[in-house]
Amino acid sequence: MNPNLFLVFLGGVLGALIRELFVLVVPATEILSASIFIANMLASFFVGVLAGALAVKKISTTQSSFLSTGLMGGLSTFSTFIYEIVLTMDQIGIELLVYIFLTLVIGLAFVVLGLKIGIRIPHHS
């Protein structure tokens, strides 16, 4: 078995557990859950940081497998984001469009910000 596959699995399990803790701790609104938004934004930012660090060889592909693909992949949840949209399509109008827009725009901005930070992380030997 490829060791990176196990690291992705382990990171995914941990990321999903962290996301579920957000769901339990962050109060939900009647319409859309702030916990999923927060989890997705944190994961977007840290995926950017990790991608930047990987690009300039400050982390290895093995570390990236665990942290980015596994942990951040488990933390973020596109499927729940879409599921919430489908569940609330009949209930709300402009709020849903704002939520979708902000999730995509802020998520993209966090990835870009993370990339810039990740590239500048000092290398410690």
Side-chain angles (χ1 to χ4, degrees):
M1 177 182 200
N2 183 331
N4 281 356
L5 289 177
F6 179 73
L7 290 173
V8 169
F9 168 77
L10 183 60
V13 169
L14 292 173
L17 287 171
I18 294 167
R19 181 183 67 228
E20 189 59 22
L21 288 173
F22 280 169
V23 170
L24 294 173
V25 172
V26 177
T29 65
E30 289 182 22
I31 301 170
L32 300 165
S33 65
S35 58
I36 298 303
F37 180 81
I38 292 167
N40 286 339
M41 295 308 103
L42 284 172
S44 295
F45 174 73
F46 286 113
V47 161
V49 170
L50 294 164
L54 181 63
V56 292
K57 311 264 190 263
K58 292 179 183 168
I59 64 170
S60 69
T61 55
T62 301
Q63 291 168 319
S64 179
S65 292
F66 172 74
L67 295 169
S68 188
T69 307
L71 189 64
M72 292 304 110
L75 176 62
S76 65
T77 175
F78 186 73
S79 58
T80 302
F81 167 65
I82 296 301
Y83 181 64
E84 286 184 337
I85 291 169
V86 169
L87 287 179
T88 58
M89 284 171 62
D90 295 341
Q91 300 170 8
I92 56 176
I94 192 70
E95 294 92 354
L96 180 61
L97 294 175
V98 169
Y99 176 71
I100 294 168
F101 178 78
L102 288 177
T103 297
L104 297 175
V105 170
I106 294 171
L108 179 60
F110 278 167
V111 169
V112 171
L113 176 64
L115 275 167
K116 291 180 181 195
I117 291 170
I119 289 170
R120 290 180 176 80
I121 292 174
H123 191 280
H124 297 286
S125 300

